[in-house]
Amino acid sequence: MKTKGYIGSYTKKEGKGIYRFDVDENDQTIEKVEVGYEVEASTYLTQHGQFLYAIKRDGDDCGVASFNINEDGSLTYINDCLASQEGTGCHISVSEDGQYLFEAVYGSGYVRLYKLNAENGEIIELIDVYKGEGHGPNEARQEGSHIHFAEQTPDLDYIVTVDLGADVIRTFKFSDEGLELYETLEVQAGSGPRHIAFHPSGVYAYLVNELSNTIQVLSYKNGVFATISPAILTIPEDFDLNSQVAAVRLSHDGQFIYVSNRGHNSIAVYKILGDGANVELVEIVTSGGTWPRDLNITPSDSFIVVAHEHSYNLVLFSRNKETGKLTEIENEQKAAEGVCVQFI
């Protein structure tokens, strides 16, 4: 069985934008890593049905692009919407009905809302922009708003954004009329919240904090988040060098959480306990490269691919579905400046 995947990358040095690859799950190898489409600064990708959406920049113009995913995994360009000069995005996602795209812009602290044509994948227009406010105690990283994540909530009624610069989580109502701020949760000052992954029940969410190298459980209901557990370190307590949390992913069976640590260059594995309100550490394993920016789990739940931003290599792990533990299999394939992993 072969699983098709894509890598999004920076294009500051050797990166080309979008790479494509296969995971041969029978041979347990990564193969056919090649340029899928050259796109400037395509640092995050997301799939909806037969369409792939990517962050894009053209000079000072910033926004998103759309592609049709062909049967062989090749991409056909549809269109783009470069409607802003207020910074390149760092995270995008698409609403379940395929009618909206949400973009988080780290540098300028913006959330951008786009209208999509769910039938043909076209990006119709930029509907609205929200400018985050606030700051945190870390003068080097929190001098202002830095929004790092934007995604629809499980009940489909809101989007949630995570602001690393202001230490807040915001929920918004959204429509063709734009974004309406609904609720704000303040998290630990200086923690630098980065990404969220939801429990399958939709009742709990797992927040990773980049600056404090921690994960914590939140409750969620009707657009409102609350902190229900103390933060847990994602790196060993005695590690005193620079490290920053990056990705968080849940196994498809909803039993385990995987977090990448840049600097410590590791993957932390957690077991989800009970109904999802608690987690416990299973193991912390080396990621097999330098600066593991993103990871993702194959739809079969059997393998994990980790993209390393600095060492450029893609690392394949097999995954024990019972224990959640990882075993490194291969680490020779390259995707220059890779920072996002998505499977179809």
Side-chain angles (χ1 to χ4, degrees), residues 36-53:
Y37 214 97
E38 290 200 32
V39 184
E40 185 180 357
S42 193
T43 54
Y44 208 87
L45 314 171
T46 191
Q47 178 208 359
H48 188 273
Q50 71 185 78
F51 308 118
L52 187 75
Y53 296 92

Side-chain angles (χ1 to χ4, degrees), residues 149-208:
F149 178 91
E151 188 172 280
Q152 191 173 27
T153 53
D155 53 22
L156 309 182
D157 294 329
Y158 307 88
I159 67 166
V160 54
T161 68
V162 180
D163 192 331
L164 184 150
D167 290 322
V168 298
I169 296 170
R170 302 181 184 92
T171 49
F172 297 82
K173 294 182 178 180
F174 65 96
S175 68
D176 287 353
E177 303 303 312
L179 296 164
E180 179 185 347
L181 181 62
Y182 182 75
E183 187 73 24
T184 300
L185 171 68
E186 295 182 3
V187 298
Q188 183 179 0
S191 60
R194 180 181 172 97
H195 278 198
I196 277 179
F198 283 95
H199 188 269
S201 68
V203 176
Y204 301 107
Y206 307 100
L207 173 70
V208 289

